Amino acid sequence: MARPTPSYLKLYNEARPASSGRLGDFWPGLDKLCRAFERATGWPLQCIPEPANVDADVLWSAPATAEAADGEEMRVGVAASEGVASSHAPVDLQATVDLAATIGQLLADLARARQALWKREAELAAGVPLPLRTDEAHLAERLRSSLRAAAQAIGGRSAALYLLDETTSYLKLRSVWGLPQERLLLPPRELAQSRADLEALLGHAIVLGDDATQAAFQPPEPAAVAVCVPVSSATAPLGTLWVFGDRRRPVSDRKVNMLEVVAGRIAADLEREMLVVASADTSQKTRQFATAERWQDDRLPHVSPSSDVWQLAGWTQAAGDLHHEFYDWFVRADDSLVLALGGARQQAIEAALTAASLRTCVRAHAGYSGDPAEWLGRINEALANESPGEQTATLFAGVADAKGRTVRLAAAGELVICRITGDRAEPLAGPVSLLGSEWAERPKAIEVTFEPGDVLVVLSEGAFELCRQTMQWDSLGEILATLKEHREQPASILVELVHDRLTALAGTCPLADCTALVLKRRS
């Protein structure tokens, strides 16, 4: 029969049932093993649940050293042979004891494997990769306790918890009570072929108490009576709870309500575990992002190089957790000054990694060549070969002569590159192809002469995009006009002026990464 789930719940006071002590129910083939041992050796082998009194006729026993099913301990023992004197037994007692001890160790290993399987299935039920706490019962133990309560609520002999997979296409057995744990190894059941589970997940409790209903709904375990109730969170169905009985008896609404209460407790346990895992995962990711952010900041140059000719300053701001853009400078062996500004066009972590690779490539190539256009060509080949068309970037690279007054520079991508003199702001390069894409024309290096007091300003693609997204097309002109007006100020002050204007445009929520680099020839 199918019955709608009522809108009310009844409280259920769970009592812990006594252990059944039927080891054969949990260790399939154990009785057969004992009989085969006696036929082979002439000595009876006994498997004794603990705590139990060892019979007086047991000549030797030892613990199996692992938990048996349902939390019981077990011992293996060799008993006196009935009807055959010990001296006339087919196999020597000591050899028999050695064999029994080996069997006990194998049973212990099997128990540990079953225990691990049992816990792992419970962890998978909540998406828990590892147990997170040691000061409380493992999720597997809490689920088993709930299943035991469900079975006792209707006088059943066993219970099982089936949970949906991520695609809601299959039901996987995740926890059992009163059934062999080997059931956990069974393949998932197709939800489309599980009529009773489908009905339950729609909000109906299913009671299969006669041959007709069992033939129609086909419970997953043979039983005289079977009940299926949904396990659901406030927002989504999680799976089904099955309870099986070995005697035909009516299942009242009160008993079904008890099962629904237990199913609610199971759903709460699973949701709680999911929240704990999500919280731990979020905290771990937050720490990792903070570490990566510090790593990026530590690698930005914060001190202007000591130079009698040039002043340098830079600033960058990330729109998210990690920087997608960077600026950099360093002094080469010939005392010339290398400066760079670049950014990746991917998203999130991929962009941060690409930006870090760009910075490394610039430092590697700039140490062996004085031609920035050559650096861009080699970096473009590296990006194109590593991921054709997938990783694209913008990059400005330049070399300032330490003793003269020239800057040799090249760029790829949509960047703002201007020289500010006493009477004008002169663009030095227009938009060109991105790094990592097919170039219609290779970038060429240009050499620019700077008079005392002249300023080179480079703004990233993100800064240009910010002006475009805020629909303030004159912002770039205003920035350049401000720099022209305060051209006599040091490079550090000039980059602060750029920072203030771009920050005002972005407001409290930056729309894109912004980076600026200012090079000034000393007066």
Side-chain angles (χ1 to χ4, degrees):
M1 57 179 274
R3 186 184 63 80
T5 302
S7 59
Y8 62 92
L9 295 175
K10 298 181 180 179
L11 295 178
Y12 170 63
N13 185 17
E14 176 191 348
R16 181 183 176 91
S19 174
S20 65
R22 296 178 300 174
L23 288 172
D25 290 346
F26 304 101
W27 296 83
L30 194 59
D31 294 338
K32 185 177 180 181
L33 171 65
C34 293
R35 291 194 298 270
F37 183 92
E38 185 173 1
R39 286 196 304 270
T41 65
W43 300 92
L45 178 68
Q46 294 189 0
C47 296
I48 311 158
E50 291 188 338
N53 295 325
V54 179
D55 295 337
D57 61 345
V58 174
L59 305 178
W60 170 89
S61 70
T65 67
E67 285 189 359
D70 212 17
E72 295 177 338
E73 298 288 334
M74 188 177 69
R75 301 177 68 88
V76 291
V78 176
S81 180
E82 297 181 3
V84 180
S86 301
S87 59
H88 295 89
V91 179
D92 178 71
L93 177 60
Q94 184 57 50
T96 301
V97 167
D98 292 343
L99 178 60
T102 303
I103 291 175
Q105 187 59 51
L106 290 174
L107 290 176
D109 292 342
L110 176 61
R112 281 189 288 271
R114 288 155 54 98
Q115 196 84 348
L117 171 65
W118 168 62
K119 288 188 175 183
R120 183 61 178 170
E121 286 297 334
E123 291 158 5
L124 290 173
V128 187
L130 289 172
L132 297 176
R133 300 173 304 282
T134 58
D135 57 345
E136 64 178 63
H138 190 279
L139 175 63
E141 296 173 2
R142 302 201 302 275
L143 292 179
R144 182 176 61 185
S145 176
S146 297
L147 294 182
R148 182 169 51 232
Q152 188 186 19
I154 67 168
R157 61 170 172 79
S158 59
L161 174 65
Y162 291 87
L163 294 181
L164 289 164
D165 68 335
E166 293 181 354
T167 64
T168 65
S169 301
Y170 296 92
L171 286 160
K172 179 69 175 70
L173 182 60
R174 295 300 188 187
S175 185
V176 296
W177 181 83
L179 293 170
Q181 289 184 349
E182 281 72 11
R183 292 286 200 279
L184 298 173
L185 297 174
L186 294 175
R189 295 186 293 124
E190 288 190 28
L191 179 60
Q193 305 299 323
S194 306
R195 182 180 171 188
D197 299 87
L198 280 171
E199 289 285 342
L201 291 171
L202 291 174
H204 301 80
I206 306 298
V207 179
L208 309 180
D210 55 59
D211 294 337
T213 56
Q214 292 208 14
F217 286 94
Q218 296 181 347
E221 293 285 339
V225 62
V227 183
C228 178
V229 296
V231 177
S232 303
S233 69
T235 57
L238 302 178
T240 54
L241 167 63
W242 281 89
V243 178
F244 308 101
D246 52 8
R247 286 189 299 169
R248 290 283 170 87
R249 63 177 71 182
V251 180
S252 65
D253 288 350
R254 176 178 175 275
K255 291 182 176 180
V256 173
N257 290 340
M258 291 180 180
L259 291 185
E260 290 164 348
V261 170
V262 176
R265 190 176 75 175
I266 290 174
D269 257 342
L270 292 174
E271 279 195 302
R272 174 174 175 267
E273 204 76 18
M274 293 173 188
L275 289 173
V276 169
V277 174
S279 176
D281 187 50
T282 300
S283 298
Q284 183 182 22
K285 287 181 179 179
T286 300
R287 290 192 299 270
Q288 291 175 347
F289 274 114
T291 301
E293 188 176 3
R294 287 195 301 272
W295 183 91
Q296 287 184 319
D297 188 65
D298 290 344
R299 278 150 182 78
L300 290 174
H302 297 286
V303 178
S304 181
S306 178
S307 172
D308 295 331
V309 179
W310 304 102
Q311 293 177 351
L312 251 179
W315 164 79
T316 185
Q317 173 180 279
D321 294 314
L322 298 176
H323 291 272
H324 301 174
E325 297 181 347
F326 70 96
Y327 65 87
D328 194 19
W329 60 68
F330 65 94
V331 178
R332 301 201 322 171
D334 60 359
D335 291 333
S336 60
L337 183 62
V338 174
L339 52 152
L341 181 150
R345 305 191 99 205
Q346 289 72 48
Q347 297 296 323
I349 297 177
E350 184 182 4
L353 293 174
T354 302
S357 299
L358 278 178
R359 177 182 177 274
T360 302
C361 288
V362 170
R363 285 187 165 247
H365 292 300
Y368 298 98
S369 171
D371 184 2
E374 185 179 346
W375 310 345
L376 266 61
R378 291 180 177 177
I379 295 172
N380 182 67
E381 291 176 4
L383 283 177
N385 291 334
E386 184 176 347
S387 57
E390 296 178 3
Q391 290 184 344
T392 55
T394 60
L395 182 61
F396 161 84
V399 180
D401 189 347
K403 298 179 181 180
R405 57 182 186 170
T406 61
V407 177
R408 190 171 177 82
L409 57 90
E414 196 168 20
L415 301 167
V416 177
I417 307 170
C418 287
R419 179 180 60 174
I420 299 175
T421 63
D423 57 351
R424 61 175 179 166
E426 175 191 1
L428 297 181
V432 294
S433 300
L434 292 164
L435 288 178
S437 62
E438 293 186 6
W439 283 351
E441 183 179 355
R442 295 177 63 88
K444 296 179 181 179
I446 60 174
E447 188 169 286
V448 184
T449 301
F450 282 74
E451 300 297 334
D454 287 356
V455 175
L456 173 69
V457 58
V458 184
L459 301 181
S460 68
E461 183 182 39
F464 180 77
E465 185 67 21
L466 175 63
C467 297
R468 179 159 40 194
Q469 289 183 4
T470 55
M471 303 302 292
Q472 299 189 37
W473 299 100
D474 59 342
S475 296
L476 285 175
E478 291 177 2
I479 292 173
L480 296 176
T482 300
L483 295 177
K484 178 183 174 182
E485 181 182 353
H486 298 87
R487 190 170 64 95
E488 73 281 356
Q489 297 293 330
S492 58
I493 299 298
L494 296 177
V495 86
E496 283 295 328
L497 294 174
V498 177
H499 160 255
D500 292 343
R501 182 56 183 160
L502 291 176
T503 302
L505 284 177
T508 57
C509 183
L511 301 176
D513 283 28
C514 296
T515 307
L517 185 66
V518 173
L519 174 72
K520 179 181 178 180
R521 185 179 176 191
R522 295 181 184 272
S523 300

